[in-house]
Amino acid sequence: MSSKQGAPSLASADEQDKFITDVFEMCMKRVVQGTRDRNTPVVNFKTPEELKELVDFDLTTDGNHREDLLSLCEKVFDYSVLTGHPRFFNQQYGGLDSYGVAGSFITDVINANGHTFEIAPMFLMTEVAVLEHMLKFVGYTNGEGTFCPGGSYSNFLSMNMARLWKFPETKSTGIYGLPKLVSFCSEQAHYSAKKNSTFLGYGTDNCWVVKCDDRGKMIPEEFEKLVLKCKDEGSVPLFVTATAGTTVLGSFDPFNEIAAICSKHKIWMHVDAAWGGSALLSKKYKHLCDGVHKADSLAWNAHKMMQAPLQCSVVLFKEKGSLERAHSLNVPYLFQSDKPYDVKYDLGRNLLQCSRKCDALKLWLMWKAKGDAGFERQVDQAMANAQYLTEQIRKRPEFELVIPHPEYTNVPFWYIPPSLKGKEKNEDYFKQLASIIPTIKTRMQKSGTLLVGYTPVGKIPTFFRMTVMNDKANFSDMDFVLDEIVKNGKDL
Ligand SMILES: *Cc1c(COP(=O)(O)O)cnc(C)c1O
């Protein structure tokens, strides 16, 4: 299907410029403007087999010309999901912030490497500025932090930091000869807590799971019981992940109580605030995070509630010098100390990554554009949308909430089709629901009108897991969600 003559490297500078401009226009038309129109489908879903029929993925080629390349780019837009669409509720990211997108374009075209100031001066200055600003929201007065490629990685760095804090010598000696190290997280914690335990060599068996109450919050007494059990068997309680805004239910753990147990037993307290950290931006909702400043570290994803483009994630530490203590090494070919500037700005000195994408600029530009007040409005709008949706679910007899009072913007709920209405809620009932809900989702995915996730959690059988975050969504979008589910589910 493509005209395979001549290599594009032979294209003139003018032709190359024209190509970039054309693709840029496509980005604007297909995504930035396309996303604003609610009639644009959220997704034009195709299976992998269908995509193979529709697109020539094979790379056996002598090069392609402009028209063929542009048509390939069009196809990328045709079959991609519009995650910034106001009816994309599938995961906790999206929103397509214009300033964030502009910041991403700038970052990509400059293509700096975030290890040293000499290569990325503007990016590292913005990184320092954003981190300092976020530290204030958490309430760390002598803290530091770094941008990370995602919340799972932020959680990983924190878990690693805990060992180097408790056993500094293991930076060189390794963990050989140490007693068994145990970490803790709640039943509702993000799965990275367990994966990181494997990655660090502690193993999933030594990531102990603490029971939650019926709102999905860690029970502090259960946590302390496990800590004592751990000490009794001669193991070391090292690290706990408390969560601000659990991934599925949006619950916030009792940070003050957990902090008291940690300080009593000398345990590193980490708050995974990947999702819920943004509550700190709102005067009305920051109380959800009460006590997080007592934690030793905190992970906060700006690519979730704050709607920065992926990826944009920070981990913050209460104590300055933590990163250096854990990660610095002498690397004379990259991190010389006789440079014509203060080398503390060579942020890569104290990180694990060498080459590093510069994720701060887009968030810095967003912050400059809207200020604290703009982010606060964004969070408050998302909360208002979620609360409106919750109300509607309460009012409409065909729906049922999974938890009676959602704290954040996760609204987990069931749709009860006419065929199940009034039936006894036994195993069979929930088994049927568990197959009906994915069927409705697939129907909506195929018509492209709406994307929303579903999941079971613990003993709670499969439900719709709405996560509201795009502040461009409004109350009628919330009504649309419920109407669309009824439309696609009433015959089931
Ligand atoms: C999303 C999420 C993560 C993982 O963040 P990534 O950026 O996807 O790696 C971790 N913890 C919580 C609570 C989350 O919601």
Side-chain angles (χ1 to χ4, degrees), residues 345-409:
Y345 286 98
D346 285 349
L347 302 184
R349 296 174 88 85
N350 301 328
L351 302 178
L352 285 183
Q353 295 152 280
C354 178
S355 289
R356 191 167 74 105
K357 179 112 185 164
C358 299
D359 290 321
L361 179 91
K362 56 199 175 200
L363 183 56
W364 179 81
L365 198 59
M366 288 169 73
W367 227 308
K368 282 281 188 193
K370 53 182 118 191
D372 295 347
F375 277 122
E376 176 169 34
R377 271 196 300 278
Q378 229 171 273
V379 173
D380 289 352
Q381 177 63 41
M383 290 294 288
N385 284 339
Q387 286 161 6
Y388 174 83
L389 179 68
T390 306
E391 275 312 305
Q392 297 314 303
I393 292 170
R394 281 203 191 100
K395 280 188 195 150
R396 295 175 65 159
E398 65 273 40
F399 292 101
E400 206 173 303
L401 287 165
V402 171
I403 44 172
H405 301 285
E407 280 184 285
Y408 200 41
T409 67

Side-chain angles (χ1 to χ4, degrees), residues 390 392-404 411-416 420-423 425 429-430 433 437 463-464 482:
T390 306
Q392 297 314 303
I393 292 170
R394 281 203 191 100
K395 280 188 195 150
R396 295 175 65 159
E398 65 273 40
F399 292 101
E400 206 173 303
L401 287 165
V402 171
I403 44 172
V411 186
F413 67 92
W414 288 290
Y415 165 67
I416 318 290
L420 288 179
K421 194 79 211 153
K423 293 257 170 75
K425 289 188 181 170
Y429 173 96
F430 284 114
L433 255 194
I437 285 173
F463 52 85
F464 282 113
L482 300 181

Side-chain angles (χ1 to χ4, degrees), residues 281-468:
L281 299 163
S282 162
K283 287 189 264 314
K284 199 165 164 195
Y285 297 107
K286 65 179 183 194
H287 66 87
L288 292 168
C289 291
D290 267 355
V292 295
H293 66 285
K294 295 178 183 169
D296 299 287
S297 54
L298 179 141
W300 180 354
N301 279 358
H303 64 231
K304 289 185 167 173
M305 186 62 89
M306 292 175 83
Q307 301 171 48
L310 279 166
Q311 51 206 24
C312 197
S313 182
V314 306
V315 62
L316 304 172
F317 298 98
K318 185 156 71 182
E319 206 187 299
K320 253 196 183 74
S322 302
L323 285 163
E324 183 180 2
R325 183 181 61 216
H327 303 137
S328 70
L329 275 186
N330 182 23
V331 186
Y333 65 85
L334 189 58
F335 302 123
Q336 303 90 350
S337 44
D338 48 2
K339 290 180 174 181
Y341 55 85
D342 184 343
V343 294
K344 77 172 186 208
Y345 286 98
D346 285 349
L347 302 184
R349 296 174 88 85
N350 301 328
L351 302 178
L352 285 183
Q353 295 152 280
C354 178
S355 289
R356 191 167 74 105
K357 179 112 185 164
C358 299
D359 290 321
L361 179 91
K362 56 199 175 200
L363 183 56
W364 179 81
L365 198 59
M366 288 169 73
W367 227 308
K368 282 281 188 193
K370 53 182 118 191
D372 295 347
F375 277 122
E376 176 169 34
R377 271 196 300 278
Q378 229 171 273
V379 173
D380 289 352
Q381 177 63 41
M383 290 294 288
N385 284 339
Q387 286 161 6
Y388 174 83
L389 179 68
T390 306
E391 275 312 305
Q392 297 314 303
I393 292 170
R394 281 203 191 100
K395 280 188 195 150
R396 295 175 65 159
E398 65 273 40
F399 292 101
E400 206 173 303
L401 287 165
V402 171
I403 44 172
H405 301 285
E407 280 184 285
Y408 200 41
T409 67
N410 309 50
V411 186
F413 67 92
W414 288 290
Y415 165 67
I416 318 290
S419 63
L420 288 179
K421 194 79 211 153
K423 293 257 170 75
E424 190 198 336
K425 289 188 181 170
N426 52 23
E427 205 173 309
D428 188 50
Y429 173 96
F430 284 114
K431 219 165 104 191
Q432 276 182 267
L433 255 194
S435 83
I436 284 167
I437 285 173
T439 306
I440 298 175
K441 192 238 164 96
T442 304
R443 286 178 177 182
M444 298 191 297
Q445 189 173 25
K446 289 200 170 150
S447 63
T449 49
L450 171 68
L451 272 186
V452 54
Y454 62 82
T455 183
V457 63
K459 289 192 213 68
I460 308 174
T462 302
F463 52 85
F464 282 113
R465 173 210 172 212
M466 265 292 281
T467 55
V468 186

Side-chain angles (χ1 to χ4, degrees), residues 92 149-153 155 190 192 243-247 272 274-275 301 303-304 313:
Q92 299 147 297
S152 304
Y153 183 90
N155 293 342
H190 189 259
S192 53
T243 310
T246 56
T247 310
D272 177 358
W275 174 224
N301 279 358
H303 64 231
K304 289 185 167 173
S313 182

Side-chain angles (χ1 to χ4, degrees), residues 115-412:
H115 46 36
T116 59
F117 178 88
E118 76 183 79
I119 296 307
M122 285 302 287
F123 294 100
L124 297 193
M125 295 307 284
T126 57
E127 177 160 357
V128 169
V130 174
L131 290 167
E132 278 176 2
H133 202 62
M134 292 177 87
L135 285 165
K136 282 188 263 177
F137 278 92
V138 175
Y140 284 164
T141 49
N142 182 39
E144 65 175 11
T146 176
F147 273 70
C148 283
S152 304
Y153 183 90
S154 301
N155 293 342
F156 165 74
L157 279 195
S158 305
M159 192 183 273
N160 191 41
M161 194 71 83
R163 188 192 76 243
L164 295 161
W165 158 78
K166 196 144 191 144
F167 302 102
E169 71 283 3
T170 59
K171 186 172 176 184
S172 52
T173 61
I175 61 173
Y176 308 101
L178 289 187
K180 197 164 86 182
L181 305 177
V182 175
S183 64
F184 305 84
C185 69
S186 89
E187 292 172 320
Q188 295 292 334
H190 189 259
Y191 64 83
S192 53
K194 287 205 164 160
K195 285 207 181 181
N196 290 338
S197 193
T198 297
F199 194 25
L200 286 167
Y202 311 151
T204 50
D205 288 353
N206 301 309
C207 178
W208 292 9
V209 176
V210 185
K211 282 206 191 83
C212 287
D213 65 16
D214 52 13
R215 302 177 67 190
K217 294 166 176 289
M218 183 190 286
I219 304 172
E221 295 75 20
E222 295 291 329
F223 170 43
E224 189 159 29
K225 255 192 239 163
L226 288 183
V227 169
L228 294 173
K229 180 171 169 233
C230 171
K231 286 182 154 176
D232 273 354
E233 67 168 48
S235 302
V236 176
L238 180 71
F239 176 88
V240 63
T241 302
T243 310
T246 56
T247 310
V248 175
L249 300 176
S251 344
F252 290 72
D253 286 338
F255 304 113
N256 285 303
E257 284 89 337
I258 294 171
I261 297 166
C262 287
S263 99
K264 187 163 137 199
H265 298 282
K266 309 255 176 319
I267 298 167
W268 181 284
M269 174 174 171
H270 173 64
V271 175
D272 177 358
W275 174 224
S278 300
L280 291 165
L281 299 163
S282 162
K283 287 189 264 314
K284 199 165 164 195
Y285 297 107
K286 65 179 183 194
H287 66 87
L288 292 168
C289 291
D290 267 355
V292 295
H293 66 285
K294 295 178 183 169
D296 299 287
S297 54
L298 179 141
W300 180 354
N301 279 358
H303 64 231
K304 289 185 167 173
M305 186 62 89
M306 292 175 83
Q307 301 171 48
L310 279 166
Q311 51 206 24
C312 197
S313 182
V314 306
V315 62
L316 304 172
F317 298 98
K318 185 156 71 182
E319 206 187 299
K320 253 196 183 74
S322 302
L323 285 163
E324 183 180 2
R325 183 181 61 216
H327 303 137
S328 70
L329 275 186
N330 182 23
V331 186
Y333 65 85
L334 189 58
F335 302 123
Q336 303 90 350
S337 44
D338 48 2
K339 290 180 174 181
Y341 55 85
D342 184 343
V343 294
K344 77 172 186 208
Y345 286 98
D346 285 349
L347 302 184
R349 296 174 88 85
N350 301 328
L351 302 178
L352 285 183
Q353 295 152 280
C354 178
S355 289
R356 191 167 74 105
K357 179 112 185 164
C358 299
D359 290 321
L361 179 91
K362 56 199 175 200
L363 183 56
W364 179 81
L365 198 59
M366 288 169 73
W367 227 308
K368 282 281 188 193
K370 53 182 118 191
D372 295 347
F375 277 122
E376 176 169 34
R377 271 196 300 278
Q378 229 171 273
V379 173
D380 289 352
Q381 177 63 41
M383 290 294 288
N385 284 339
Q387 286 161 6
Y388 174 83
L389 179 68
T390 306
E391 275 312 305
Q392 297 314 303
I393 292 170
R394 281 203 191 100
K395 280 188 195 150
R396 295 175 65 159
E398 65 273 40
F399 292 101
E400 206 173 303
L401 287 165
V402 171
I403 44 172
H405 301 285
E407 280 184 285
Y408 200 41
T409 67
N410 309 50
V411 186

